[in-house]
Amino acid sequence: MGQISQFLPFLLMFVVIYFFMIRPQQKKIKQEKEFEAALKVGDKIITKSGFHGKIAELTETTAVIETMSGKLKIERSAISLELTAALNKKA
């Protein structure tokens, strides 16, 4: 019983760290992957660097977006927001 009580604070600390740091991060990563998988050609998007555009082509890891000044090839992970659904809700 003495050894268990010595390790109990470390065990509790690990449990707290898991539920407040590791688990939310895993959920966030899963949501980002689902978001990237749900993108489709024609969606209006905003990149993490602030470019607004429309998806013209999609591959497994990249996307080509049309902007007012031309086309840009970016990584799918660089897309931060999809506007098509938000714009359709307002209309």
Side-chain angles (χ1 to χ4, degrees):
M1 188 68 178
Q3 288 183 350
I4 293 175
S5 63
Q6 287 177 347
F7 289 110
L8 192 60
F10 292 111
L11 181 63
L12 290 173
M13 200 169 18
F14 177 75
V15 169
V16 168
I17 288 172
Y18 176 78
F19 280 106
F20 286 108
M21 295 178 79
I22 298 171
R23 192 164 176 243
Q25 186 67 26
Q26 289 174 339
K27 281 185 175 182
K28 184 178 178 184
I29 290 170
K30 183 180 176 185
Q31 287 175 337
E32 287 177 0
K33 286 184 180 182
E34 289 172 355
F35 170 75
E36 288 176 20
L39 292 171
K40 57 191 175 299
V41 173
D43 284 349
K44 293 179 180 173
I45 54 105
I46 299 176
T47 66
K48 291 181 180 178
S49 59
F51 289 112
H52 290 242
K54 186 176 179 181
I55 298 177
E57 299 174 33
L58 282 173
T59 65
E60 193 171 318
T61 58
T62 62
V64 175
I65 61 169
E66 293 177 4
T67 64
M68 294 184 83
S69 60
K71 291 185 177 184
L72 298 171
K73 186 174 185 176
I74 61 170
E75 292 291 319
R76 274 186 166 204
S77 60
I79 299 172
S80 68
L81 184 63
E82 190 267 321
L83 294 173
T84 306
L87 292 173
N88 288 339
K89 285 182 184 177
K90 289 181 182 178

